[in-house]
Amino acid sequence: MSNPRDTYWSIVWRQFRKNRAAYWAMWALWPLFLVSIFAPVLASDRPFVYYDHGQWLFPWFRDLFHTEEPSDFFYNMALVVFLPWAGAAWWLNRRWRRQGMNRPRRLLRILGLYAALTFAAVVLFAWTPLRPANLYFERQFVSEEFRDPQRWGVYAPIPFGPITIDDKSFYRPPMYKKPPTEWTRANDYFPHLLGTDGGGRDVLVRLIYGTRLATTVGFVAVGLYLTIGVVVGALAGYFGGKVDMLISRLIEVMLVFPAFFLILTLVGFLGQSIYIIMVVIGITGWPTIARLIRGEVLKQRNMEYVLAALSQGAGHTRVLFRHVLPNALSPALVAAPFGIASAIIVEAGLSLLGFGVRPPAPSWGALLREAHGNYEYWWLIVFPSLAVFFTVTLFNLVGNGLRDAMDPRLRR
Amino acid sequence: MWSYLLRRLLLMVPTLFGVTLVSFAVMQMAPGDPLLLQSGGEGSLAQQGETREAYLVRRRDLKLDKPLFLNLRYFQDWTDQVAQAAWFLGVPREQLPEELVRLARASDAESRARLRFLRKLDIPQFDTRWQKFAGPEADRSDPQVRAGLAALARAVSNHVQVFCENLGDHGVPVAMQLLEQAKDSRQRLGLLRALRYMVVEPFQFTFSRPPRPEEAPRVEAVWRRWWELNRKRLGPLDPERKAVLQRQLQQLLQAPDDNTRFNLLEQEFLFDVSEMGFFVQRLVSEETSLEEKALCALILKLYVPRPLKLEVNEKSTPEEIQQVIENWRLHYQLYRQRYEPSLGRRLLYLFTDTQYAHMVYRLFTFDFGRSTLRTREPVSERIWNAFVVSAPLMALSQVLIYLISVPVGVICAVKHNTWVDRTLSLVLFVLYSIPAYVAGMLLLLFFCYGDYFKWFPTGGLHSDGAEQLGTLAYWADYAWHIVLPTLCLTLFSLAALAMYSRTSMLEVLGQDYIRTARAKGLSQRKVILKHALRNALIPIITLFSNTIPAVLGGSVLIEYLFNIPGMGRLTFESIENKDYPTLMALVYINAIVVMVSILLSDILYVLVDPRISFQSRSQAA
């Protein structure tokens, strides 16, 4: 039974843990993020270390700072700061535990630190001269004379890149390995575990890198529309009157358009880029959230604590954002995991229709698109489908658990 | 109830207005000129195998030459700008670079005004190019500078042309006025060229089909003028031939249909241009019927393809120019109303002659115009054809969804927390997490392309040559084709509804009146079906509002995968081809249907549940 000292969130957490499927799904999400962050460590055709006639080069590390996709750059920065952060986290955790800080708070702070570090690295390396120069832009290390004993490299466990074209192995089935007579690259000894696509690119590697795209689209788009929806809905619910009428009309108008239809039209017109997809999902998703928040804020604003805060001289901004909103946020939070799942579905669907990110960016939907019309390449359908399915299932499970945990009617 | 309905309907008006605004905004977001984009990127029109004239007609059809929201053009004084444009058009093409250089070096007021006009034309990088190629520092001996200057001159003349085209009708009165005052031939030349760009089809030479009486004066005037100009050259007609012509004309009039008429015209009756006077006389005579007039005009146009000269060039003689000016005067007289609207009309045009107003008008009257594709099919026809294809499919799958998900939800609720409930819930959850298009691809892979189970066709709705099959076989073939699409549309969308009905049923089963019913000793069957289910269905009815839009809108991805030419596929194709009118119509129809079905489900809600009255709902709203 609940303890009177419990905070709302500790109650929710306890409820959430009771739902075993949701709990495990939450843990299973961590590998997804880790794969996203560590994708270059798992798979890359750039050697970690390269020995070239007495010279030691580090092409892999330099390559981290020069990516084609912005989401890749972001994740690479997260990878670069990972080790410093892990050390700092271990030290800070020990220190804070001695000071008697409780666990959720420590966890939150440490995760916040990671986000801040990543952000700092992105700013630092994207827009300042500190970014390591792209020295080996022209070089293809794998295809340099690999039988030369004076040249060798240490490669990632899967030595293939996500967008490097190999014109000798188009559409090869899983476990395909080039016959030794055809070897021209240093990584040709390695089998394509899940086959290759129409550009001779390894499907497994593209799936791994596709995780980055999917999670980016999911989180950024949902973050965007949660922010818009919460702010707009809160304004409507709190101030009422004309503001409410205007915003309610706007919400109604936006809800009248079928979401996927609108997204498709906008993306078709505005162009193919990950930014545009995220923004478009963002601007089409906010009305549902705004409506939920508006209802909740309407309920809260007539409560006595609001009156108490106002009578103590607190301004409307403070009352709304410090007192009312935290109490009205739960429906929006419940919607978040489902929203991420559906954003991932939408992104893959857009790519399948050819309106997604521009090829050769590795997206799960792009693989499906390649397979549409070439159904004999079953591995291009089965594996991306599984990836989409598992990711979506995990987010849906977490969402289910969160919904049940936050619903007071189900509390036991 | 009526007041509630009225209130809801009134509330729909601002929403509808918002819908048109949003659709308009969406269409505006598309970059560039849709017509140019549609015919393959921005480039010269000559490459696209389409005449400039046809392009302009289409552009005006879509009202793309109008301002967005507010049309101030009827109140502006265009004299200055038209005069400037005419000046640039009056300069012979090969002399334009020289003139530009002279302009750049002169500093009198007139030249400055010319430069100001050029700056307003939005020529890309005008200022830098102007400095570099025409300015005083430009080195004329450098071939690169000369090439740049030539390109600049080309850009200037193109942009002046576009300026005139966009100005359209607004410039005509001014140009006519200037033409009357014009002194030198160069100015006249420029003005005549400007007029040619402003007016797309100055004259109407034939009647539309079927002919309308109000067209008669204009058509007659044109041919009368032609006859006046050519009378002397062609000479009089002898009465015998006249009688023959009269007979042949009657014969043509009595022809049963257009085909025979054209055959007669092309093969049997061969006239001579010198005989056209007869047809002009028939055309302008008052006792001729409309049908006959139309026929005469058609024959005239057939033998005199270009009756009135409207273009001039540097080689034209003064007489020719005078003649062309006379022709333009005639045009101006005939269409005076269009060019000089009354003040009231101009005030009206302020808001109604805009892109937005035209779009709203089209949407409200459900007149969506024609597609911008080469085929120029009417949009409503395209949409109807697609609707007929996808509606049965979607309706079938929606019915199946309800038929499956409600019983499943009820069973789950009744067997709450038993293994039945757990298994069904798990299955539902898995179905919920599979996107329909992923399932579609997997099904296609295993059941259509697979090595073992080639059970179903790979796409489309009918086999080749299905038309020759008997009725029964035809429908069997159809059913065989729609199995997989329907499966995708059904199985992977029913989970949400099933879970919803499960929750709803659970809630009802926890109510007191269910306990009462059980205590009365009713059978389980009766309790569930009569007492619980009917109440549990009430919230499910609200979800009904999702059904109609789904039936109408089709499913883009499923229709894409299975190659079904339905609404979803139409949406996809019109986005891909940037077919604005179709897309606009689709956006609008979808929105309207959603709106209406929300209203419908609200009404249904009240009708089904006696506890809720319209009063209480309108208070809540």
Side-chain angles (χ1 to χ4, degrees):
Chain A
M1 278 293 112
S2 60
N3 187 325
R5 282 186 311 154
D6 279 348
T7 62
Y8 175 65
W9 289 108
S10 66
I11 298 171
V12 168
W13 175 237
R14 216 170 37 235
Q15 289 293 324
F16 185 78
R17 272 173 64 166
K18 278 188 192 155
N19 186 337
R20 267 174 306 165
Y23 186 65
W24 289 116
M26 198 199 69
W27 284 112
L29 278 179
W30 288 108
L32 195 73
F33 295 127
L34 290 180
V35 163
S36 301
I37 294 171
F38 285 94
V41 178
L42 293 174
S44 170
D45 59 348
R46 298 247 147 183
F48 292 134
V49 181
Y50 195 73
Y51 178 80
D52 185 357
H53 295 95
Q55 259 185 316
W56 294 93
L57 310 176
F58 301 95
W60 180 84
F61 187 70
R62 278 188 187 276
D63 200 49
L64 288 184
F65 296 92
H66 300 278
T67 57
E68 304 224 337
E69 280 292 313
S71 61
D72 269 343
F73 186 74
F74 173 79
Y75 273 111
N76 283 347
M77 290 307 103
L79 174 61
V80 168
V81 300
F82 188 83
L83 275 182
W85 168 75
W90 179 75
W91 185 74
L92 281 172
N93 185 30
R94 221 177 44 171
R95 196 183 134 102
W96 284 336
R97 197 171 51 208
R98 284 214 201 102
Q99 286 172 0
M101 199 186 287
N102 63 6
R103 223 177 120 200
R105 199 175 180 139
R106 281 192 325 248
L107 191 71
L108 214 65
R109 280 199 178 185
I110 286 170
L111 285 180
L113 177 71
Y114 190 43
L117 276 177
T118 308
F119 183 69
V122 169
V123 173
L124 201 65
F125 291 117
W127 289 294
T128 65
L130 280 176
R131 180 183 194 156
N134 200 2
L135 277 183
Y136 317 123
F137 178 64
E138 298 283 324
R139 286 178 74 167
Q140 285 268 335
F141 289 93
V142 284
S143 55
E144 287 176 13
E145 294 167 52
F146 70 105
R147 286 183 207 281
D148 182 352
Q150 288 298 304
R151 277 181 171 168
W152 51 267
V154 178
Y155 286 88
I158 307 170
F160 299 111
I163 52 178
T164 325
I165 289 176
D166 179 358
D167 46 12
K168 288 218 176 61
S169 50
F170 291 161
Y171 295 122
R172 298 296 181 185
M175 297 313 291
Y176 170 79
K177 202 161 79 175
K178 270 189 198 168
T181 46
E182 278 181 23
W183 286 6
T184 55
R185 302 183 185 204
N187 56 8
D188 280 342
Y189 70 93
F190 198 80
H192 292 283
L193 294 173
L194 300 185
T196 65
D197 68 0
R201 295 169 288 236
D202 189 275
V203 171
L204 176 60
V205 174
R206 280 175 81 71
L207 285 182
I208 289 174
Y209 279 83
T211 323
R212 291 180 152 192
L213 216 77
T215 46
T216 313
V217 170
F219 276 87
V220 177
V222 171
L224 196 67
Y225 75 62
L226 276 188
T227 317
I228 302 176
V230 165
V231 171
V232 172
L235 288 180
Y238 188 78
F239 291 108
K242 277 193 182 133
V243 182
D244 183 29
M245 206 188 74
L246 211 72
I247 293 178
S248 297
R249 287 297 117 208
L250 189 63
I251 292 175
E252 227 167 81
V253 169
M254 291 299 290
L255 282 179
V256 152
F257 293 99
F260 188 70
F261 183 76
L262 202 56
I263 292 172
L264 193 64
T265 312
L266 284 174
V267 172
F269 279 178
L270 295 178
Q272 302 174 308
S273 123
I274 185 170
Y275 293 121
I276 288 174
I277 292 175
M278 292 187 304
V279 168
V280 165
I281 296 179
I283 55 174
T284 49
W286 67 267
T288 12
I289 304 290
R291 203 168 58 163
L292 288 173
I293 293 285
R294 172 182 170 268
E296 203 65 20
V297 170
L298 264 181
K299 239 186 271 167
Q300 298 280 336
R301 73 148 292 150
N302 292 325
M303 294 217 174
E304 278 163 4
Y305 73 91
V306 176
L307 205 62
L310 282 173
S311 65
Q312 281 181 356
H316 280 306
T317 327
R318 188 180 172 82
V319 172
L320 176 55
F321 286 100
R322 295 296 296 260
H323 298 273
V324 175
L325 255 191
N327 287 310
L329 218 52
S330 42
L333 288 181
V334 168
F338 294 116
I340 292 170
S342 77
I344 290 172
I345 293 178
V346 166
E347 190 273 324
L350 285 176
S351 297
L352 172 57
L353 287 176
F355 291 125
V357 288
R358 237 183 227 108
S363 152
W364 294 340
L367 287 172
L368 290 176
R369 179 174 174 74
E370 262 184 80
H372 179 59
N374 306 318
Y375 278 88
E376 63 269 34
Y377 310 130
W378 56 269
W379 56 95
L380 292 181
I381 299 174
V382 172
F383 301 122
S385 296
L386 287 177
V388 172
F389 170 65
F390 277 117
T391 317
V392 167
T393 309
L394 291 183
F395 279 109
N396 279 343
L397 276 173
V398 171
N400 250 351
L402 203 60
R403 187 185 54 204
D404 292 351
M406 280 185 171
D407 192 344
R409 280 177 303 178
L410 298 170
R411 196 158 291 158
R412 276 167 289 172
Chain B
M1 178 182 167
W2 291 113
S3 72
Y4 172 74
L5 259 183
L6 194 71
R7 233 177 79 95
R8 285 299 306 264
L9 285 175
L10 278 180
L11 271 180
M12 271 168 83
V13 174
T15 314
L16 200 66
F17 181 69
V19 166
T20 58
L21 234 109
V22 172
S23 336
F24 187 62
V26 169
M27 296 301 140
Q28 291 299 324
M29 264 182 208
D33 186 332
L35 293 177
L36 279 180
L37 269 178
Q38 197 258 315
S39 28
E42 300 197 35
S44 79
L45 281 154
Q47 293 166 350
Q48 296 153 21
E50 182 184 40
T51 61
R52 183 93 195 164
E53 204 146 294
Y55 161 73
L56 285 176
V57 169
R58 273 162 61 173
R59 195 172 140 84
R60 282 188 192 180
D61 236 24
L62 291 176
K63 306 287 176 194
L64 289 173
D65 54 335
K66 302 284 181 200
L68 293 183
F69 289 107
L70 196 61
N71 194 344
L72 289 170
R73 290 181 191 174
Y74 287 97
F75 292 94
Q76 262 161 301
D77 182 15
W78 297 101
T79 320
D80 234 26
Q81 305 206 33
V82 170
Q84 297 289 358
W87 187 83
F88 281 105
L89 291 172
V91 177
R93 285 238 162 156
E94 61 280 2
Q95 283 174 32
L96 193 57
E98 292 303 316
E99 288 289 344
L100 290 183
V101 170
R102 219 171 46 73
L103 208 59
R105 282 158 213 221
S107 60
D108 52 317
E110 203 183 354
S111 310
R112 277 207 302 279
R114 298 235 148 93
L115 193 58
R116 262 205 307 282
F117 172 73
L118 281 187
R119 285 223 170 87
K120 276 194 198 148
L121 290 179
D122 288 331
I123 299 170
Q125 296 162 332
F126 178 73
D127 281 316
T128 45
R129 282 162 84 183
W130 182 255
Q131 282 298 327
K132 211 162 138 196
F133 301 128
E137 297 96 62
D139 173 18
R140 301 289 309 286
S141 57
D142 184 354
Q144 222 171 340
V145 169
R146 261 184 311 195
L149 186 64
L152 187 63
R154 265 201 308 283
V156 165
S157 72
N158 283 343
H159 275 79
V160 171
Q161 180 181 349
V162 171
F163 168 80
C164 290
E165 284 164 0
N166 281 340
L167 193 56
D169 292 354
H170 304 287
V172 176
V174 180
M176 287 309 293
Q177 208 182 349
L178 288 171
L179 199 58
E180 300 300 333
Q181 300 158 359
K183 296 200 178 59
D184 61 287
S185 69
R186 196 153 133 182
Q187 202 180 350
R188 274 194 205 114
L189 209 69
L191 282 165
L192 288 173
R193 278 199 181 129
L195 274 171
R196 193 73 195 90
Y197 293 143
M198 286 172 197
V199 186
V200 179
E201 279 166 338
F203 290 115
Q204 192 181 354
F205 298 114
T206 53
F207 287 82
S208 53
R209 304 184 52 95
R212 281 176 308 194
E214 64 266 27
E215 291 169 327
R218 286 174 186 171
V219 178
E220 285 170 21
V222 172
W223 289 109
R224 204 182 280 134
R225 166 120 182 105
W226 174 78
W227 182 237
E228 273 165 27
L229 289 176
N230 295 287
R231 173 180 239 151
K232 270 183 218 139
R233 189 164 61 85
L234 299 177
L237 205 63
D238 70 305
E240 241 169 78
R241 180 69 186 152
K242 223 172 191 169
V244 174
L245 287 177
Q246 182 74 37
R247 214 179 50 244
Q248 288 181 337
L249 191 62
Q250 285 310 315
Q251 220 172 326
L252 278 170
L253 265 176
Q254 280 149 12
D257 58 71
D258 283 351
N259 267 346
T260 39
R261 193 171 293 158
F262 279 117
N263 278 340
L264 280 178
L265 262 180
E266 276 173 13
Q267 284 149 23
E268 306 270 327
F269 306 152
L270 295 178
F271 306 121
D272 187 71
V273 181
S274 62
E275 296 159 1
M276 287 299 123
F278 167 75
F279 293 107
V280 175
Q281 272 161 19
R282 293 299 304 164
L283 177 66
V284 300
S285 139
E286 272 178 24
E287 59 236 36
T288 329
S289 73
L290 200 58
E291 279 299 318
E292 196 177 340
K293 281 187 181 193
L295 188 61
C296 288
L298 194 72
I299 296 171
L300 282 165
K301 185 76 174 65
L302 214 59
Y303 283 88
V304 190
R306 317 196 63 191
L308 294 187
K309 201 168 151 52
L310 289 162
E311 286 93 356
V312 280
N313 55 29
E314 276 83 20
K315 289 179 204 115
S316 307
T317 59
E319 292 80 50
E320 268 176 346
I321 292 183
Q322 197 49 44
Q323 204 184 34
V324 171
I325 291 177
E326 283 296 321
N327 288 346
W328 278 109
R329 271 195 202 126
L330 176 68
H331 164 77
Y332 190 60
Q333 258 168 21
L334 288 176
Y335 295 90
R336 185 153 234 160
Q337 263 184 328
R338 197 169 100 198
Y339 292 126
E340 289 169 5
S342 63
L343 183 67
R345 235 161 225 287
R346 278 193 284 173
L347 282 174
L348 190 67
Y349 285 155
L350 202 58
F351 297 104
T352 57
D353 196 24
T354 59
Q355 279 189 40
Y356 177 66
H358 281 293
M359 190 205 77
V360 168
Y361 178 77
R362 287 185 139 183
L363 293 183
F364 279 13
T365 53
F366 285 90
D367 164 27
F368 299 120
R370 283 165 185 281
S371 139
T372 55
L373 293 181
R374 278 283 146 76
T375 50
R376 306 263 291 134
E377 267 175 291
V379 168
S380 36
E381 209 170 280
R382 271 166 73 89
I383 292 182
W384 176 252
N385 287 343
F387 174 74
V388 173
V389 167
S390 60
L393 216 65
M394 297 303 288
L396 177 65
S397 71
Q398 289 294 328
V399 169
L400 284 176
I401 286 176
Y402 271 86
L403 284 184
I404 298 173
S405 62
V406 173
V408 166
V410 169
I411 290 171
C412 279
V414 172
K415 308 263 178 191
H416 186 48
N417 273 339
T418 63
W419 66 270
V420 180
D421 178 27
R422 294 216 182 95
T423 324
L424 279 178
S425 294
L426 182 72
V427 170
L428 286 181
F429 188 80
V430 170
L431 289 181
Y432 181 69
S433 295
I434 301 177
Y437 61 87
V438 165
M441 290 200 82
L442 290 173
L443 287 173
L444 273 170
L445 175 64
F446 288 117
F447 295 115
C448 307
Y449 292 93
D451 295 333
Y452 309 107
F453 316 103
K454 283 197 176 166
W455 291 351
F456 293 104
T458 56
L461 284 179
H462 303 286
S463 309
D464 290 339
E467 295 79 28
Q468 275 115 46
L469 295 171
T471 319
L472 201 66
Y474 179 82
W475 288 109
D477 177 64
Y478 178 71
W480 182 53
H481 276 81
I482 65 168
V483 169
L484 285 188
T486 315
L487 198 68
C488 284
L489 290 169
T490 310
L491 267 191
F492 306 96
S493 329
L494 63 75
L497 192 64
M499 289 191 215
Y500 193 74
S501 52
R502 174 176 175 266
T503 333
S504 160
M505 190 71 181
L506 269 180
E507 221 160 85
V508 172
L509 285 176
Q511 299 286 332
D512 287 342
Y513 58 81
I514 298 296
R515 202 181 307 152
T516 313
R518 287 221 167 97
K520 278 199 305 190
L522 292 180
S523 66
Q524 169 80 348
R525 199 185 156 75
K526 218 162 190 176
V527 171
I528 300 297
L529 291 183
K530 277 201 100 166
H531 292 243
L533 183 61
R534 293 177 76 169
N535 282 304
L537 278 179
I538 291 169
I540 294 172
I541 282 172
T542 41
L543 292 183
F544 170 74
S545 66
N546 296 341
T547 310
I548 306 178
V551 169
L552 182 104
S555 164
V556 179
L557 281 153
I558 297 300
E559 290 183 1
Y560 173 75
L561 287 180
F562 288 94
N563 204 8
I564 296 168
M567 292 287 274
R569 181 122 193 144
L570 181 66
T571 310
F572 170 71
E573 278 169 4
S574 30
I575 292 172
E576 214 175 30
N577 300 323
K578 305 264 186 319
D579 182 0
Y580 284 58
T582 312
L583 213 87
M584 179 88 87
L586 282 171
V587 171
Y588 182 69
I589 291 177
N590 264 311
I592 298 264
V593 168
V594 175
M595 234 160 69
V596 171
S597 52
I598 290 174
L599 178 69
L600 266 182
S601 82
D602 276 4
I603 294 171
L604 261 180
Y605 203 65
V606 182
L607 291 181
V608 172
D609 192 344
R611 286 169 302 183
I612 305 167
S613 68
F614 283 108
Q615 255 90 35
S616 66
R617 273 194 77 78
S618 53
Q619 271 152 22

